[in-house]
Amino acid sequence: MVEGSMTQGAGQGAARTTAAMPPFPGYATPAPGYAHAAPPPVQPAHEYPEYPEGYTPTARDLPVIGGPATPQDVPTVELTPLSAPQQQPQQQPLPSGPGPLYVVGDVHGYLDELHRALFEQGLIDEHGHWAAGNARLWFLGDFTDRGPDGIGVIDLVMRLSAEAAAAGGYCKALMGNHELLLIGAKRFADTPVNSGAGTASFQAAWLLNGGQRTDMERLEDHHLQWMSRLDAIAEEDGHLLVHSDTTAYLEYGDSIAAVNDTITEALQRNDPDECWDLFRKFTKRFAFRDEEAGPVAVRELLHTYGGSRIVHGHSPIPYLLGEVGTEDADGDEGAPRVEGPHLYADGLALAMDGGVTMAGKLLVVQLPLAG
C-alpha cells in the first residue's frame, strides 16, 4: 500500500472591499458669490401667443449662431482645453484552458469540515465563496446522512458550481449511493420494494443508514432535481471518477455516456423497484481490494470506460486497510488515523473516503498525486 500525499491548492482569493462612492463635486455647497438667476415669469395661459397654422414644437425660434449679439444675461467663461484621457487599465480576461484538478471524498453532512478542507486547499475564501479561478473540482458523491447538515452541503456544492463557472473553472458532482437512498426515501417512503432478501422500504433503509430527519425536513424539489440528474461516472485527465468501488457500472452501459444516460432515465421513470435495484448495486464495495482479483477488476473498468486510474469514494480507507472501527464510532478514541488518500490495486485505484463519519478525515486532494 502506498499513501498518496496532498498537494498545495490554488491561491486564496483576495478579500473583497467596497469603497464608499465620493460625492459628486460641486453639489455639496454652491460656489462662493454665485447667485441663481431668477426664473422668468410664467405667462398666463390666455396670454400665450397664437402660433401660425402648421406649427410644431420643433419650429420654435432659437438663437442663430452668428446672428444678433449674445444676450447680456448669459455669462461667458474661458474654456480650458481638456488633457488627453488617461488610458484605463484593461480588465484581465478569464484564464483560458483547464486549471488544476481536485477531488473531494464522501462528505456525509459534515459541512464545517468541508469548509475547512476546501479553504486549506485555496478553493474557497474565508466567506465560503469560490476563490480558485479556473480550477476544476469534482465531488465523488454521498453528501448527506450520518452527519449534521447534508442539505447545507448540497446547497454549498450547488452555489460553488455557479461561482466556479463564472470564474472560468467548474465544480461538479457524482451520484453516490446515499443520493439514491435519499431520493428513494423522499419519493417512495414506506412503499414496499423487493430487496432480494424479503420486503424492505427506502424509508427504513434510509434511517438505518444514518438518515437525518432535519435533512428530510429541509429537502426541497430543486435539491431532488439536482441529485436525480447527477452523472454516475466521469473521466478527467486520465482519472476515471466513480463513487463506488464496484464493477456494477458495467451493467449499465459500455461507455461513460451510456451509463450516465441509463441511470438518469431509470430515475425519471420513478419506479420504486428499479430505483432500489440501483441503490443496491451501488452500495456494493471492495471490488478492488483483493490482491489478485482487485487489479483485474480495475483494468476491466479502465478498458471499458477509459483512463489509467480509478478514483473512488464509498468505502472508508480504514475499511480497505482492515483496521478496527465502524462508521458509527463516537469521538476520537480509537479512531483510525487517515493522512491522505489510499493508493492500491497495483497503483490503479485511489480511495478518497477518509472516514469522516468515524472521526477520520474529509479528503480534498489535487490530482495527480505528487511524489
Side-chain angles (χ1 to χ4, degrees):
M1 183 277 292
V2 182
E3 289 282 338
S5 61
M6 302 207 311
T7 61
Q8 292 300 318
Q12 297 180 15
R16 302 177 181 177
T17 58
T18 303
M21 181 177 292
F24 290 105
Y27 274 69
T29 56
Y34 177 81
H36 292 282
V42 177
Q43 187 176 18
H46 67 275
E47 296 181 3
Y48 276 23
E50 294 184 3
Y51 296 110
E53 185 178 355
Y55 173 83
T56 65
T58 60
R60 295 174 184 171
D61 295 329
L62 299 175
V64 179
I65 297 176
T70 304
Q72 296 302 314
D73 60 348
V74 177
T76 58
V77 295
E78 181 179 357
L79 298 179
T80 303
L82 294 175
S83 58
Q86 295 183 356
Q87 187 175 4
Q88 297 295 326
Q90 294 183 351
Q91 184 176 3
Q92 294 297 322
L94 292 176
S96 60
L101 174 64
Y102 295 82
V103 290
V104 184
D106 301 35
V107 183
H108 281 299
Y110 285 85
L111 181 60
D112 290 343
E113 287 78 358
L114 177 59
H115 270 115
R116 187 178 306 114
L118 293 174
F119 179 76
E120 288 174 354
Q121 288 287 353
L123 293 164
I124 63 173
D125 62 21
E126 63 272 20
H127 303 294
H129 295 288
W130 183 259
N134 65 339
R136 297 167 292 161
L137 178 62
W138 274 98
F139 285 81
L140 299 180
D142 277 9
F143 303 107
T144 66
D145 304 336
R146 297 197 172 98
D149 194 359
I151 299 303
V153 171
I154 292 176
D155 284 336
L156 174 63
V157 177
M158 293 176 69
R159 176 169 59 76
L160 289 179
S161 297
E163 293 178 353
Y170 62 70
C171 170
K172 298 182 181 181
L174 293 180
M175 172 82 69
N177 62 303
H178 279 264
E179 280 67 64
L180 293 167
L181 185 58
L182 183 58
I183 291 170
K186 180 66 173 180
R187 288 182 179 177
F188 310 119
D190 290 323
T191 301
V193 293
N194 183 8
S195 68
T199 302
S201 73
F202 272 104
Q203 180 78 7
W206 174 69
L207 291 172
L208 185 64
N209 285 275
Q212 303 294 304
R213 295 188 183 278
T214 52
D215 283 345
M216 186 64 73
E217 292 169 357
R218 296 164 56 203
L219 184 63
E220 299 182 18
D221 286 343
H222 69 276
H223 297 128
L224 284 170
Q225 293 171 6
W226 180 79
M227 286 190 295
S228 65
R229 287 173 171 80
L230 293 175
D231 285 341
I233 186 170
E235 190 271 335
E236 289 282 356
D237 297 351
H239 299 90
L240 187 63
L241 308 179
V242 296
H243 172 71
S244 304
D245 46 329
T246 178
T247 58
Y249 297 93
L250 296 168
E251 301 180 35
Y252 293 93
D254 58 4
S255 70
I256 290 176
V259 172
N260 291 333
D261 289 345
T262 300
I263 293 175
T264 299
E265 291 167 4
L267 290 174
Q268 301 309 312
R269 285 191 288 271
N270 215 34
D271 179 87
D273 286 321
E274 191 172 19
C275 289
W276 180 266
D277 191 56
L278 274 173
F279 164 69
R280 180 179 61 85
K281 288 177 179 176
F282 290 111
T283 303
K284 295 180 179 180
R285 62 175 89 241
F286 301 146
F288 316 140
R289 189 173 64 170
D290 184 81
E291 290 186 2
E292 295 184 4
V296 174
V298 174
R299 288 189 177 95
E300 185 178 9
L301 287 167
L302 295 175
H303 176 74
T304 303
Y305 303 121
S308 57
R309 176 178 288 171
I310 280 183
V311 181
H312 70 84
H314 188 47
S315 291
I317 291 172
Y319 282 12
L320 292 169
L321 297 177
E323 296 178 357
V324 178
T326 67
E327 290 185 302
D328 298 322
D330 295 325
D332 295 334
E333 184 178 354
R337 185 170 181 83
V338 176
E339 296 296 342
H342 172 45
L343 187 62
Y344 68 115
D346 291 350
L348 297 174
L350 186 70
M352 281 292 302
D353 185 349
V356 66
T357 61
M358 56 179 74
K361 188 174 185 179
L362 201 165
L363 297 178
V364 178
V365 175
Q366 183 177 354
L367 298 179
L369 293 178

